[in-house]
Amino acid sequence: AIGQPDHTTRIWGRDLARATLAECAHIMRDIDAGRLCPIGLVAARRWIPWDVFKNHVVLVWGYDLEGDRLTLYTYDSNFPGRDDITLRLDLRSGPSAGPIWTNGTSGPKAHRIRGFFRVPYEAADLPVT
């Protein structure tokens, strides 16, 4: 169902819900190490070429973990100048995990996305001209 954990879409050999949960530990580790973490938000419901533009990339700059509840603080270029854009989810695995809530870029159901994953990047110092 829209807005529930996505256990049908496969990414990296796992369903999207489990892949998203697995990424959370890596994201928190990046933040704890003082590194920003870009993530891809999965919003599209179909795997057709033009639907890729319904997805979006945000930059995680912090997090709060209270029990099983994780809040990721992000910079979302669709909301420039705001530092209050978050993703909230429950880290319990399996069908009992709830939806991923956001007050930023959302998917087919308002304020929710289907999942997310880390986007690899390498920092580079650019020469000053």
Side-chain angles (χ1 to χ4, degrees):
I2 293 175
Q4 292 304 310
D6 189 330
H7 295 285
T8 58
T9 301
R10 308 291 291 174
I11 186 169
W12 299 304
R14 295 185 215 165
D15 62 63
L16 180 58
R18 290 189 200 289
T20 295
L21 291 173
E23 291 288 89
C24 290
H26 299 292
I27 293 166
M28 290 185 289
R29 196 172 8 234
D30 285 348
I31 299 305
D32 289 343
R35 293 185 301 267
L36 300 173
C37 185
I39 61 172
L41 304 180
V42 179
R45 295 224 41 94
R46 301 176 298 175
W47 294 101
I48 53 178
W50 52 87
D51 271 3
V52 73
F53 297 107
K54 293 180 181 177
N55 300 320
H56 187 54
V57 175
V58 299
L59 187 65
V60 179
W61 57 266
Y63 73 90
D64 282 328
L65 182 59
E66 296 179 19
D68 287 331
R69 293 181 190 203
L70 176 64
T71 301
L72 299 175
Y73 296 95
T74 70
Y75 173 75
D76 185 333
S77 62
N78 287 339
F79 299 89
R82 290 186 51 188
D83 65 357
D84 64 336
I85 303 298
T86 61
L87 299 169
R88 295 185 336 256
L89 67 150
D90 192 319
L91 295 179
R92 289 177 291 158
S93 61
S96 63
I100 302 169
W101 295 92
T102 183
N103 61 340
T105 299
S106 57
K109 185 147 182 138
H111 305 292
R112 297 185 192 178
I113 61 166
R114 298 178 60 219
F116 55 80
F117 57 92
R118 288 170 52 231
V119 176
Y121 83 102
E122 289 185 31
D125 291 327
L126 298 176
V128 178
T129 57

